[in-house]
Amino acid sequence: MNVEELKKHANHVRQNAIRAVYSAQSGHPGGSLSSADILTYLYFEVMDINAENVGSIDRDRFVLSKGHITPGYYSVLAEKGFIPQEDITTFRKFGSKLQGHPNMNYIEAVDMSTGSLGQGVSTAVGMAMANKLDGNKHHIFTLLGDGECQEGEVWEAAMAASHYKLDNITFMVDCNHLQIDGEVEKVMNVYPLDKKFEGFGFEVVKADGHDFEAIKNAFDYALSVKRKPAVILWNTVKGKGVSFMEDQAGWHGKAPNEEQFKQAMKDLGGDE
């Protein structure tokens, strides 16, 4: 798939993420938008997952450790065909499968129910260990937020991944530098993350999370690493693509009103 096709998919993911949050009048748009390009590339170019093998153990797996960005996650799954597009506007509605945090019992393509920060990455490490023990050659991917790295459980998982030389897992950190209470560096500074992960024995890759050529190169390199885990630190903009949401902590977990929804869709070139 060429860059223009990937951009088109990612933009549609952003449109649907905004539709989901607006329809529910709740949810987390900021991180959904910052990670849209990364998740689009992951699902369309990297992971071995499709309609035929989604129910099989013999495929790659993804754990959304920052489990609150389901508007973006569900939109990627819909773009890939695992969720009907029309279900996006049922987000967080009573009886919908698209709840505020992913539930593996409702959607076959969701590999882990997540929400409590730090637990998803720990589960992903367990999956990678199980694959090693079983001789399963498939890869595990997990996406964290930089604010999530304030959780001690993240570093326990990192320590285990390094200790067991899990080269079949790739950590990814959405480094948009904002969390619900403001700037990550001011709330509880986790930077420099590259030095911290290096200290835990990881191969560290840093890349622009909105440049598809850079995204490709980062994945290619991370997946070539042997005998130790890799982490990709994605430099991103919270709220990417929507003018009034970009780099604004207030849009971590807030729904747009009607006027803001129209402006957001205009920014993204979509129909209301």
Side-chain angles (χ1 to χ4, degrees):
M1 188 174 294
N2 63 43
V3 170
E4 291 307 311
E5 290 174 312
L6 288 166
K7 286 181 178 178
K8 184 176 179 180
H9 281 301
N11 196 57
H12 196 228
V13 166
R14 287 189 168 93
Q15 292 169 11
N16 269 339
I18 295 298
R19 285 192 186 96
V21 176
Y22 177 68
S23 297
Q25 278 300 289
S26 67
H28 296 78
S32 293
L33 297 175
S34 67
S35 61
D37 300 313
I38 299 159
L39 292 179
T40 296
Y41 192 88
L42 177 69
Y43 271 87
F44 279 89
E45 293 292 307
V46 179
M47 284 183 65
D48 172 27
I49 182 172
N50 52 58
E52 287 70 40
N53 71 3
V54 66
S56 170
I57 194 68
D58 292 317
R59 65 166 175 85
D60 297 333
R61 279 179 154 67
F62 170 70
V63 178
L64 181 66
S65 196
K66 50 181 298 183
H68 53 279
I69 65 156
T70 44
Y73 183 33
Y74 293 149
S75 296
V76 170
L77 294 180
E79 198 72 6
K80 186 74 175 177
F82 295 120
I83 297 171
Q85 293 277 348
E86 58 269 23
D87 284 5
I88 290 296
T89 54
T90 73
F91 177 60
R92 286 195 169 192
K93 300 277 197 319
F94 182 76
S96 173
K97 294 181 178 180
L98 309 188
Q99 292 301 300
H101 291 90
N103 189 321
M104 64 193 297
N105 299 305
Y106 292 162
I107 302 169
E108 190 173 24
V110 170
D111 292 321
M112 186 61 202
S113 304
T114 58
S116 295
L117 298 179
Q119 291 186 1
V121 64
S122 299
T123 303
V125 169
M127 290 177 177
M129 290 179 66
N131 273 4
K132 284 284 189 182
L133 291 169
D134 292 344
N136 188 319
K137 301 299 184 183
H138 290 84
H139 206 83
I140 310 297
F141 300 88
T142 183
L143 180 67
L144 305 90
D146 50 356
E148 182 179 1
C149 291
Q150 294 161 353
E151 298 282 351
E153 191 171 1
V154 169
W155 301 103
E156 292 178 273
M159 184 164 48
S162 179
H163 178 79
Y164 292 106
K165 297 180 173 59
L166 300 181
D167 52 10
N168 62 339
I169 189 170
T170 299
F171 285 35
M172 302 178 288
V173 185
D174 183 3
C175 298
N176 61 39
H177 293 270
L178 294 173
Q179 59 189 106
I180 191 168
D181 288 330
E183 297 176 30
V184 171
E185 288 88 335
K186 291 181 179 179
V187 175
M188 182 63 69
N189 193 12
V190 298
Y191 289 94
L193 279 172
D194 55 347
K195 300 301 182 184
K196 287 183 173 65
F197 275 105
E198 285 172 0
F200 275 79
F202 277 64
E203 186 73 18
V204 176
V205 187
K206 294 190 284 187
D208 183 339
H210 302 307
D211 180 325
F212 280 110
E213 289 295 338
I215 292 171
K216 176 186 184 302
N217 292 336
F219 272 118
D220 287 349
Y221 182 76
L223 291 172
S224 73
V225 174
K226 301 299 179 188
R227 294 192 58 76
K228 63 178 177 178
V231 60
I232 306 174
L233 304 179
W234 301 110
N235 182 30
T236 64
V237 176
K238 196 157 187 131
K240 177 69 173 178
V242 176
S243 56
F244 59 89
M245 291 186 183
E246 287 195 354
D247 208 26
Q248 299 296 315
W251 287 102
H252 174 87
K254 183 173 70 172
N257 59 30
E258 184 179 1
E259 181 181 354
Q260 291 167 331
F261 171 69
K262 290 179 179 179
Q263 180 61 51
M265 297 307 291
K266 180 179 180 182
D267 289 348
L268 295 168
D271 297 328
E272 297 171 17

